[in-house]
Each structure stands twice: as structure tokens, then as C-alpha cells.
Amino acid sequence: MWRSLEQPKIRPELRQLAKVVEPEATEVLEFLISLPPTQPSGSHLLGLRLHQAEEVDALLVEEVHDGGRCAEKNKRMANKLRIAADQLSPGDWICIVNQHTERSKIFEALKSGGKLIMVCVRFRVPPGTNGTAHTPGPTSSPTAPPESPGGNLPGVPATHVPQRTTLRISVRRWDDLEMRVEVPQDATVEQLREKLDEAMGDQERSAYRIMFNDVSLVDPQQSLQAQGIKDLAKVNVVKEDPPFTEYRWVVMDYDAREEMQGYLPLTEGQVVRVCPDSEAPIDPSTKWRCTYVFGYPLDGPKDDDHGGWMPTEALAAQKKKRS
């Protein structure tokens, strides 16, 4: 996931690297590339052309040649349509290899032909700056006229740039795996969830929340664009521990004052997460003559100090049950 270099949790080494090699960068993407050891009959060549900057130990990737171990890894990842992993590309920096940060140790590991675990980074600069960091995806020249949305390099013929009809969305899972999915421009939250289910596969599928700008996407029928999600947007998926998989709108206030401890007060318009298998039968000791379910506030922690029982009559019926 792209992160601002101003975030407090950014490692100081990344800020220092950006300051030296890409002073105008404002965001950084840190990702992992893992290569298995070479087979006795195979080539151990990585197929990389690397640049050594004098001020830093990290190595700049200038080219990724076909036939090398890295290019083959990129092809394998590209063929896995359900999981789009980050691929090593020109402009990326190799910072750590097998836990080594010194350049000499990095080179030894890269030449060994053994298993490699490389920590790589990619910097992004604001549009219109003169930075050298690359940003995947289409970009627009700030001086290009409206009828030429892509701009053209000198000596390169103009080409027609078709208008996009889809949204490309970068997704970071709960286990830090980066994915990329594509949905129609008018897609709803439910369509995005279906695409994510397909991308993760049956074995890895789990109950989860979709988060955009720290807000849960709750209403399955709401359009993504209405939530401010545009092309190349970034969302997070937060794993839920089943069976707390249903979201309910609160349609009536419930103060819980007439109940014993362990009940959750509700406010009309609130969204809660409930356990669909916890619905209890009508209890004569409760004021509301209806069934009760156990759940939690939308973004609250899932523990007994924040959760509680709530009357089902105060909740809207679920539009679609998910497993």
C-alpha cells in the first residue's frame, strides 16, 4: 500500500533514501519479492541491470531482462489473475536482501543462486514535478491540451487514448498482501466484494470489512464513486472473526437502561455488526418483546467490554446474508 513519507511509522531509512535519490517523492510503496533457489540445471542469473548510487547501499533497478529469474517471477505473478502481486520494475530500489543491508552482502546474496527475499521500495512524486521515480499506470502531461489527454513525447506519434470504463483498485489485505482488482466504473460495494471474493479464492476467502479512507463500506448497493472511490484508488480489507459477518442499520433508538448489564445501547442511523447465529428467543424479562442478537459497534473492538445484546426490532432486516 502506498504510504505518505510523512507518516510517523515510516522507517527513517526510507525517508533518508528518498531524500537522497528522490527528493520530491511524497509517497513510498514497500513490497517483498521472494525467489526460490535455482535448480541444478537452471540459470542462477537474475536478469537485472542494477545501478550503484554512491550515497546509498540500496541498488536501483534499471532494467529487467527477459529470461532471468526476476522476469520469470514477474510472469508467474502476472498469470495468477486472482492475486496481482507487486512486480519488480525499472525505477524500484532493492534495499534488503536476505536481511542484509550492506551493499557487498547484498551483491553476494544476489549472485549466490540461492533463495532470495528482497525488500524493495518504489517512490511516487506529485504530478507535474521533475522527479525520476516511476508510477505505474497512465499519467497525464500537465501541459497536454484537453484533446490530447495522454500527452506525447517529442518524436513519438500521437495515439488515441480510449476512455476507461473500469476502475482499477489496489487492495491491501489483513496479511499485508497487495492485490489489484478491476470493476466497472458504476460498480457497487457488493460488486467490489464479489470481485474480491473471486480474487482470494475459496480457501482464502474470509469474512472481512472493506475500508476506504478509514471508513467501512457498509451499504452493499451504494456505488463506489459515491464513496469517492476513483480509478487507481486504494482500499483495505480487514479480517473479521466469524460469525460476526452481518451489518445492520439501526432504525430505532434503544437505551438499554431497562435491561441488565450486557446490553448494547443503540442510536437510530448507527451501523452495528451482529452474530447471525446468536439470535436468542423472546425473553419475558426484557422490555422489548422480540428476539435479541449479540454484536458490536461498526468499528469498535470485538470484546465483551464493547459488545452486547440488542433487540432485533431496532435493526433493519439484512439485505443479503454473507458467509
Side-chain angles (χ1 to χ4, degrees):
M1 182 177 72
W2 288 98
R3 295 182 294 167
S4 169
L5 285 166
E6 299 301 322
Q7 287 186 8
K9 293 184 179 181
I10 293 291
R11 293 188 289 112
E13 307 93 281
L14 293 184
R15 289 200 189 93
Q16 182 60 30
L17 179 61
K19 183 178 180 180
V20 173
V21 304
E22 194 58 76
E24 295 184 2
T26 57
E27 293 181 288
V28 61
L29 174 68
E30 191 174 19
F31 58 99
L32 203 68
I33 297 291
S34 177
L35 297 176
T38 56
Q39 299 297 322
S41 58
S43 171
H44 69 276
L45 296 178
L46 290 173
L48 298 177
R49 189 174 82 177
L50 303 172
H51 173 72
Q52 306 176 49
E54 294 182 358
E55 304 89 343
V56 297
D57 286 326
L59 301 174
L60 174 65
V61 178
E62 291 189 333
E63 290 184 25
V64 181
H65 298 291
D66 290 339
R69 294 171 66 191
C70 289
E72 294 301 316
K73 173 77 171 185
N74 284 351
K75 290 179 181 178
R76 289 196 298 271
M77 292 298 99
N79 289 333
K80 293 183 178 180
L81 299 179
R82 297 191 304 178
I83 298 180
D86 289 293
Q87 300 180 5
L88 195 64
S89 306
D92 294 339
W93 290 84
I94 301 175
C95 299
I96 305 173
V97 178
N98 295 352
Q99 300 185 344
H100 298 303
T101 57
E102 296 180 8
R103 182 182 297 174
S104 60
K105 297 291 186 181
I106 290 177
F107 267 123
E108 289 179 12
L110 293 178
K111 295 177 181 179
S112 68
K115 180 179 179 179
L116 297 178
I117 299 179
M118 302 185 290
V119 178
C120 308
V121 299
R122 183 178 301 160
F123 296 110
R124 181 154 65 185
V125 300
T129 60
N130 296 320
T132 58
H134 76 112
T135 302
T139 58
S140 298
S141 169
T143 59
E147 62 272 16
S148 178
N152 296 294
L153 296 175
V156 178
T159 56
H160 173 66
V161 180
Q163 185 177 3
R164 293 200 63 85
T165 59
T166 60
L167 299 176
R168 295 163 294 177
I169 300 177
S170 296
V171 182
R172 187 175 187 180
R173 299 187 351 160
W174 55 85
D175 54 5
D176 291 333
L177 177 65
E178 298 281 347
M179 305 169 55
R180 187 171 299 150
V181 297
E182 194 164 339
V183 296
Q185 280 194 345
D186 59 352
T188 63
V189 173
E190 181 68 15
Q191 288 174 298
L192 173 58
R193 181 179 283 273
E194 290 174 353
K195 182 63 69 171
L196 290 174
D197 284 348
E198 178 185 346
M200 287 187 282
D202 293 335
Q203 293 183 350
E204 297 186 33
R205 187 180 306 173
S206 176
Y208 56 84
R209 285 182 290 148
I210 305 174
M211 305 286 294
F212 177 66
N213 288 342
D214 296 325
V215 176
S216 292
L217 305 184
V218 178
D219 187 350
Q221 302 306 317
Q222 189 163 24
S223 73
L224 299 180
Q225 291 186 336
Q227 297 280 356
I229 297 179
K230 302 178 181 180
D231 190 35
L232 302 178
K234 297 169 286 186
V235 303
N236 293 334
V237 289
V238 181
K239 189 174 184 180
E240 293 279 12
D241 293 326
F244 294 95
T245 57
E246 289 187 359
Y247 295 96
R248 298 283 186 90
W249 289 99
V250 177
V251 295
M252 299 176 63
D253 290 345
Y254 169 65
D255 57 23
R257 284 183 296 180
E258 77 280 9
E259 313 286 10
M260 64 186 73
Q261 186 177 5
Y263 290 77
L264 183 69
L266 304 174
T267 303
E268 183 178 352
Q270 180 185 6
V271 178
V272 293
R273 294 175 288 159
V274 303
C275 171
D277 298 327
S278 69
E279 188 167 351
I282 298 175
D283 185 344
S285 66
T286 59
K287 183 175 180 179
W288 289 52
R289 295 298 184 263
C290 65
T291 58
Y292 278 64
V293 291
F294 195 87
Y296 298 92
L298 176 63
D299 293 319
K302 294 191 291 291
D303 58 57
D304 291 338
D305 292 333
H306 294 81
W309 293 92
M310 61 196 81
T312 55
E313 285 188 359
L315 309 175
Q318 190 189 24
K319 294 181 179 179
K320 182 177 180 181
K321 184 174 180 180
R322 301 195 61 86
S323 57

